[in-house]
Amino acid sequence: KITDSLLKIPFACEKIEIIQPIQRHAFAYATIAKKDCFNIAILDTSGNVCVKFHQLTIKPVPDLLDDFFYTVRWKPYSLESANMTAREVMPRNVLIVLSEEAKSLGKILSGFHEKDHIWKCYLGTENKILSEKNYTIDTNSKESFDIIFNKLKAIDIIYFLGGYHELIVEKPWIVQTQENQEKGVLCLFRLVKTLIEKQLIDHTIQLVVFTREGQPFKNKTINPFSSSLYGFCQSLRKEHNKLDFYCLDLHNGETDSQKLMDVLTVFIRNKKENTFCEMIIDSDTCYIKSINRLQLKPSGISKFRNKGVYLILGGAGGIGLALSRYLSEKYQANLILIGRSELNDQKRLAIEKIESLGGKVKYICADARNLASMKSAVDQAKETFKQIHGVFHSAIVLKDQTIRNMNENTFCE
Ligand SMILES: NC(=O)c1ccc[n+]([C@@H]2O[C@H](COP(=O)([O-])OP(=O)(O)OC[C@H]3O[C@@H](n4cnc5c(N)ncnc54)[C@H](OP(=O)(O)O)[C@@H]3O)[C@@H](O)[C@H]2O)c1
């Protein structure tokens, strides 16, 4: 007797007795042993027992969507309840990596560490020793951090400000891409590679990565150069768990220096254990990132249009093709699939399959790293289908490797 609506399937059986083979037509006779547990006999058409299942237990099939969706929440963190008295510690070696655009934040950090040994590394265009503890490094060079770590043999705290900008730069953001990626995520990669090479990474180091408006928060436009640092930071912390790691994203204009000092006192001076923590300081509130389960039930209302036009970057890859088949079958969609490689037989076959489901496909050979190539692809798409209703980013170059084993070319790809 089924008492609830959950689908239940066999999970375990105490004993199975096979008396004779089961015939093509058979009957099952089930008696309840206890809740969700049955004794079952399989009989042939004359009533002879063929197989007996003793104590066959069934279990509900979990609702897969219950533990499927997660979302980010920013929880306010009360600094008032935290211990704000800085512990007295021996002077430590502090390295601040910064660009021209982050000078005033650099000043606040220097003030906070006035009793420590501060080394500064400016991100510039040449390798130069400015004074005993002040250096400029060439952000175009792979060996840029060698100049510092040849002198600095032990390090306790590193502040990385390469993805942080104080100035509102007038140029459109896309024009600044290369320069900013180089000062940001690429410089952090090089810094980490140098720490690995010099065997410093597996000692306890506090690493603080500052960004500006890189985290999606309160529906503000994000700064993509800052955002590009977080994925790398998460991998880094997983691979080097001795790092005591903070990503601090500053929002809302001028940084309140007292608030920042309070945060640093709580997390940097009084830290208790190795951690990875993403934070936002917005006006006078500090938020900490948490990942929460999200209950999303199928709504029955689709955002896709029938015969809509959808552009899929990386569309001829595994996920892109699966999505294309779905959109073609359900919505007879017009699809623009973009990839760097030329059409080949395998892709042609995949496209034929998609079109056989009802939709139309245009494959365009273009590279997402190249603005002109992307503009031309969008123009071609519009020429063919007149408009674009939606865009998916499904491009990736997956070369699974640890940061320790990855070279810079692979990282950039
Ligand atoms: N597969 C999974 O199980 C899975 C699970 C979760 C999430 N994902 C995510 O889904 C996305 C797609 O994954 P996938 O498994 O479909 O990968 P995939 O099979 O390797 O497809 C990625 C496609 O991106 C294209 N591509 C790479 N760089 C490009 C560039 N610069 N410009 C234009 N196209 C470019 C590649 O084609 P060309 O080489 O011709 O350019 C390739 O066909 C990724 O973000 C991945 O993390 C995948």
Side-chain angles (χ1 to χ4, degrees):
K1 185 180 165 200
I2 297 168
T3 49
D4 50 46
S5 59
L6 283 178
L7 173 66
K8 293 178 181 176
I9 55 169
F11 169 71
C13 188
E14 196 63 33
K15 191 168 112 185
I16 302 174
E17 264 182 85
I18 300 172
I19 299 145
Q20 55 179 305
I22 298 176
Q23 304 301 314
R24 188 173 162 76
H25 294 285
F27 295 90
Y29 176 71
T31 52
I32 299 172
K34 51 190 172 197
K35 186 176 183 317
D36 287 344
C37 179
F38 303 87
N39 292 317
I40 299 174
I42 310 287
L43 315 147
D44 65 15
T45 44
S46 315
N48 301 310
V49 177
C50 303
V51 176
K52 279 184 180 176
F53 293 92
H54 297 267
Q55 312 236 348
L56 180 98
T57 314
I58 56 171
K59 267 198 160 186
V61 178
D63 181 351
L64 293 177
L65 290 184
D66 260 3
D67 194 25
F68 192 76
F69 299 108
Y70 284 79
T71 188
V72 167
R73 294 241 159 79
W74 292 98
K75 289 190 183 154
Y77 180 85
S78 159
L79 289 170
E80 283 68 40
S81 60
N83 180 6
M84 215 80 92
T85 353
R87 265 192 300 133
E88 280 304 317
V89 284
M90 296 283 286
R92 293 183 290 176
N93 276 335
V94 178
L95 172 67
I96 305 175
V97 180
L98 72 168
S99 61
E100 277 296 314
E101 292 89 2
K103 268 193 168 161
S104 49
L105 179 54
K107 241 186 192 166
I108 298 175
L109 297 174
S110 303
F112 182 73
H113 285 287
E114 58 183 356
K115 292 187 183 152
D116 294 313
H117 304 299
I118 303 173
W119 298 62
K120 277 200 185 139
C121 167
Y122 294 95
L123 302 174
T125 51
E126 56 178 339
N127 286 336
K128 208 162 133 191
I129 301 174
L130 303 172
S131 64
E132 196 201 340
K133 290 188 185 134
N134 286 288
Y135 298 79
T136 298
I137 61 162
D138 177 6
T139 52
N140 283 312
S141 154
K142 288 188 182 176
E143 291 80 32
S144 35
F145 285 99
D146 279 359
I147 184 174
I148 297 169
F149 286 104
N150 287 342
K151 302 247 180 220
L152 185 57
K153 301 289 178 206
I155 183 81
D156 301 300
I157 305 174
I158 301 174
Y159 291 99
F160 183 83
L161 279 56
Y164 178 86
H165 293 250
E166 267 151 17
L167 308 171
I168 311 287
V169 193
E170 294 300 329
K171 289 185 248 172
W173 67 266
I174 199 131
V175 178
Q176 308 161 49
T177 309
Q178 192 147 4
E179 189 188 320
N180 285 299
Q181 294 279 38
E182 216 143 78
K183 283 186 189 162
V185 70
L186 187 53
C187 256
L188 183 59
F189 176 79
R190 287 175 181 161
L191 170 65
V192 167
K193 288 299 270 189
T194 314
L195 293 175
I196 292 173
E197 228 166 74
K198 308 274 177 201
Q199 298 183 357
L200 291 167
I201 194 111
D202 293 322
H203 299 267
T204 305
I205 297 176
Q206 290 182 295
L207 175 59
V208 187
V209 172
F210 274 97
T211 50
R212 185 181 189 91
E213 302 191 351
Q215 300 275 14
F217 185 66
K218 292 187 178 167
N219 292 330
K220 287 190 217 165
T221 310
I222 57 162
N223 169 5
F225 315 118
S226 286
S227 301
S228 61
L229 285 154
Y230 305 133
F232 178 69
C233 289
Q234 283 166 7
S235 300
L236 179 60
R237 177 57 174 79
K238 283 189 185 116
E239 290 173 27
H240 297 280
N241 59 11
K242 282 219 169 144
L243 287 176
D244 183 27
F245 207 153
Y246 300 92
C247 289
L248 242 170
D249 195 34
L250 304 182
H251 283 241
N252 251 359
E254 277 288 294
T255 311
D256 176 342
S257 63
Q258 189 50 51
K259 179 62 59 185
L260 186 56
M261 300 267 224
D262 289 349
V263 171
L264 295 176
T265 304
V266 171
F267 290 97
I268 304 300
R269 279 271 159 75
N270 294 342
K271 69 128 190 165
K272 289 192 182 65
E273 59 198 41
N274 293 355
T275 183
F276 176 72
C277 181
E278 290 180 63
M279 281 184 262
I280 285 178
I281 303 179
D282 183 35
S283 307
D284 58 354
T285 312
C286 174
Y287 298 84
I288 290 196
K289 183 177 175 178
S290 68
I291 306 288
N292 295 57
R293 192 183 282 177
L294 187 67
Q295 293 291 340
L296 268 187
K297 296 290 173 200
S299 73
I301 303 162
S302 171
K303 295 258 181 195
F304 296 120
R305 298 166 188 231
N306 211 30
K307 295 200 186 314
V309 182
Y310 298 101
L311 184 150
I312 309 175
L313 194 57
I319 298 282
L321 288 175
L323 174 64
S324 301
R325 286 192 294 272
Y326 173 81
L327 292 174
S328 176
E329 188 175 7
K330 296 263 179 204
Y331 302 96
Q332 286 74 55
N334 297 301
L335 301 161
I336 304 113
L337 311 185
I338 296 184
R340 293 162 305 170
S341 46
E342 299 287 341
L343 264 185
N344 57 17
D345 287 348
Q346 201 188 348
K347 285 194 186 90
R348 275 195 199 94
L349 259 177
I351 290 172
E352 269 170 31
K353 164 87 185 144
I354 297 164
E355 291 194 324
S356 74
L357 298 168
K360 283 205 185 83
V361 176
K362 181 175 176 65
Y363 180 81
I364 299 175
C365 195
D367 189 338
R369 293 168 300 180
N370 182 319
L371 182 58
S373 174
M374 279 295 101
K375 279 188 171 160
S376 148
V378 171
D379 287 346
Q380 287 178 60
K382 282 188 177 160
E383 219 167 84
T384 313
F385 294 122
K386 308 287 174 264
Q387 51 194 330
I388 297 172
H389 297 117
V391 175
F392 296 87
H393 190 311
S394 187
I396 192 174
V397 174
L398 189 62
K399 290 189 183 155
D400 266 345
Q401 273 165 11
T402 56
I403 295 166
R404 186 184 288 276
N405 292 332
M406 187 177 284
N407 65 33
E408 193 170 308
N409 290 345
T410 307
F411 180 71
C412 288
E413 210 184 349

